[in-house]
Amino acid sequence: MTDPTDTHTYHPDPVQWTEDGREYTAHILGTIGASPDLMRTDPALAVRLIDEQLAEEGLDTPADEDAVHRLRALLMCVAGEFMINAHEGHWAWTVDPTSPLGGRWVVTGFPHPLGQRTHAVDVPGLSDEAVHTPPARIVDIVNRAVQLSGIRVFVS
């Protein structure tokens, strides 16, 4: 049980977390000369443009620990925003006793075209894996997230 007087306890706020990610993604898009609303209007193009810019500037292969942290944050925000805008998910906090914070952020709530159950996706975890296996590409994170979520229908 968490001590309510402990000021160091993490109190997740999904609304603020979502807004921060959305604002950061809009800022990144504006910085590269794209419309800040592109992630809402054309998420696939937004991902492609950001991935191209990261590769062009060599930022997809971080050189030091500060660059790793910055890239991880960018990947997480952009991939999360893609999953929200392209696949109707949302950020949620899930309890995880192995985490130092007692939980972790996931993107979840995806509708399935056939009404089947979908799965929450640990987008921050996928982003962390990506920065440690360069070059880190948002499209790879998104593809893996879609696969893990179970939102696609495959017919054989």
Side-chain angles (χ1 to χ4, degrees):
M1 181 164 169
T2 305
D3 178 356
T5 62
D6 181 2
T7 58
H8 300 301
T9 302
Y10 183 67
H11 301 285
D13 180 351
V15 173
Q16 187 63 52
W17 181 264
T18 299
E19 187 58 33
D20 290 348
R22 184 165 290 134
E23 288 176 6
Y24 185 62
T25 300
H27 171 75
I28 295 300
L29 286 164
T31 300
I32 66 171
S35 167
D37 289 333
L38 189 60
M39 186 59 78
R40 290 183 187 169
T41 60
D42 192 343
L45 178 58
V47 165
R48 191 187 85 208
L49 292 175
I50 295 171
D51 267 347
E52 287 173 356
Q53 190 69 33
L54 289 172
E56 184 178 303
E57 294 182 20
L59 300 175
D60 57 351
T61 306
D64 58 39
E65 199 58 32
D66 285 340
V68 165
H69 291 296
R70 285 190 305 274
L71 180 58
R72 182 185 303 123
L74 183 147
L75 296 172
M76 177 184 63
C77 288
V78 174
E81 273 298 292
F82 178 89
M83 295 301 290
I84 290 166
N85 287 286
H87 298 292
E88 302 177 37
H90 62 270
W91 282 107
W93 180 256
T94 186
V95 174
D96 179 356
T98 65
S99 165
L101 297 176
R104 59 191 164 91
W105 289 105
V106 296
V107 180
T108 191
F110 308 105
H112 189 279
L114 300 178
Q116 296 174 352
R117 182 173 180 265
T118 59
H119 308 284
V121 179
D122 182 2
V123 172
L126 294 175
S127 300
D128 190 51
E129 289 174 16
V131 297
H132 290 98
T133 55
R137 295 176 358 126
I138 301 161
V139 70
D140 294 336
I141 297 168
V142 166
N143 285 335
R144 184 75 175 125
V146 166
Q147 180 184 30
L148 292 171
S149 70
I151 59 179
R152 290 279 194 237
V153 176
F154 297 97
V155 180
S156 47

